[in-house]
């Protein structure tokens, strides 16, 4: 069995950091991540800088990183304007995003769910014309900070629509980290009847410390693609209560200990974690980084 770890630290990990990380430092960090065996890095997002000031340097970061062969470099894109930036920086993959709940969708991208589809269609069509692969995120799959529970029918309908629009892979977002392993299995049971397992990914946040348990529950359902952020950095500023992502170092440690190949080496990953820890100026929250610090 082989698991694919998709590093979203430079985007999801940093987007909520209050202290601006210098452009040179972001580039240096991504360059380090590229040499850890990771095969996928989401490097930034081409969103409005007023909404996400930390990533205002998206083009500079994306266009100046050193590309390593075999690594896919992706960027988050909300609309055509964002796509223009991502294409100018020659990103390999475009990630579009929307929410399963109406309120979070509006707070996050200022549109209703229905209004979002044509915008995404335009982005997906144009990205395909430019020979890019497209990933789709659905947020608030396991719960919304404004609306609470989200029905499985709604998640299926949105996923269906996104695949129809042409996405190559769908990432299911537990935006505020409220999923539990049984809920994850029940959700996957329904979704995997309709969508191929190799096109489905999971994106856990770790608010209640359940992300690794949710990964284990998902592995049992045959899932093999997981998004994570080094050191457990992360959170969505438009989702109150959203805390850090599943930590890449904890995920790689667990997979390695279980004898599951993910191709990522813990030693350079640890160095990259220590390096960004210094830049953000506070201790990382992953279990692995606690062990490394000895506290
Ligand atoms: P809007 O204000 O509705 O945009 O924002 P608009 O289309 O009305 O345009 C207003 C102005 O913004 C115009 O400029 C546009 O040119 C400009 P003006 O004419 O006034 O000078 N504009 C842009 N500028 C730069 N880049 C762009 C862009 N688009 C328009 N791409 C918009 C709509 C989508 C832009 C805004 O709401 C936005 O940027 N939202 C991003 C929010 C965000 O990044 N959230 C976090 C990521 S999602 C997440 O974390 C969840 C995830 O991790 C999965 C999970 O955990 O569940 C993926
Ligand atoms: Mg996220």
């Amino acid at each position: 069995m082989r698991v694919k770890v998709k590093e979203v630290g430079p985007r999801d990990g940093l987007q909520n950091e209050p202290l601006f990380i210098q452009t040179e430092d972001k580039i240096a960090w991504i360059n380090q991540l590229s040499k850890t065996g990771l095969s996928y890095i989401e490097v930034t997002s081409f969103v409005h800088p007023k909404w996400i000031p930390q990533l205002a340097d998206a083009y500079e970061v994306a266009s100046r990183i050193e590309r390593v062969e075999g690594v896919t470099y992706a960027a988050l894109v909300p609309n055509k304007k964002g796509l223009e930036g991502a294409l100018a920086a020659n990103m390999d993959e475009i990630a579009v995003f929307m929410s399963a709940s109406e309120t979070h969708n509006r707070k996050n991208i200022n549109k209703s769910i229905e209004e979002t589809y044509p915008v995404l269609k335009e982005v997906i069509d144009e990205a395909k014309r430019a020979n890019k692969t497209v990933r789709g995120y659905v947020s608030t799959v396991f719960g919304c900070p404004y609306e609470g529970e989200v029905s499985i029918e709604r998640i299926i309908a949105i996923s269906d629509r996104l695949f129809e629009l042409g996405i190559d892979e769908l990432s299911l977002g537990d935006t505020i980290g409220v999923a539990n392993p049984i809920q994850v299995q029940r959700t996957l049971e329904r979704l995997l009847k309709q969508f191929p397992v190799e096109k489905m990914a999971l994106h856990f946040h770790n608010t209640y410390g359940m992300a690794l348990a949710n990964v284990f529950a998902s592995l049992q359902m045959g899932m093999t693609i997981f998004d994570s952020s080094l050191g457990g950095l992360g959170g969505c500023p438009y989702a109150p209560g959203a805390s850090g992502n599943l930590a890449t170092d904890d995920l790689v440690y667990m997979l390695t200990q279980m004898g599951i190949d993910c191709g990522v080496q813990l030693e350079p990953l640890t160095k990259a974690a220590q390096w960004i820890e210094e830049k953000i100026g506070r201790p990382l929250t992953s279990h692995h980084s606690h062990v490394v610090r000895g506290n």
Side-chain angles (χ1 to χ4, degrees), residues 203-231:
H203 178 105
F204 293 119
H205 284 256
N206 199 31
T207 316
Y208 292 94
M210 280 198 276
L212 278 181
N214 291 332
V215 169
F216 187 63
S218 314
L219 287 170
Q220 290 177 317
M221 302 295 292
M223 296 291 291
T224 58
I225 309 170
F226 297 96
D227 303 350
S228 61
S229 167
L230 187 52

Side-chain angles (χ1 to χ4, degrees), residues 11-12 15 42 45-49 51-52 76 78-79 81-83 97 104 107-111 137-140 172-175 203 205 235-238 245:
R11 194 278 302 171
D12 207 351
Q15 71 183 10
E42 198 174 76
S45 56
F46 289 85
V47 295
H48 198 299
W51 288 63
I52 307 282
L76 200 72
N79 54 20
K81 186 169 170 87
L83 180 69
F97 60 107
H104 184 258
K107 298 243 185 213
N108 200 34
I109 50 174
N110 204 21
K111 286 197 169 40
Y137 279 105
V138 185
S139 289
T140 65
L172 303 166
D174 182 16
T175 317
H203 178 105
H205 284 256
C236 174
Y238 300 101
N245 289 68

Side-chain angles (χ1 to χ4, degrees), residues 27 42 45 71 99 110 123 174 177 182 222-223 236 239 244 254 274:
I27 295 169
E42 198 174 76
S45 56
V71 181
S99 307
N110 204 21
V123 172
D174 182 16
I182 294 293
M223 296 291 291
C236 174
M254 182 178 90
Q274 287 173 312

Side-chain angles (χ1 to χ4, degrees), residues 2 23 39 62 110 152 160 165 199 214 227 267 275 295:
R2 195 178 165 93
T23 305
S39 58
N110 204 21
I152 183 74
D160 214 19
L165 291 182
K199 292 193 171 193
N214 291 332
D227 303 350
E267 210 185 301
W275 193 88
N295 64 13

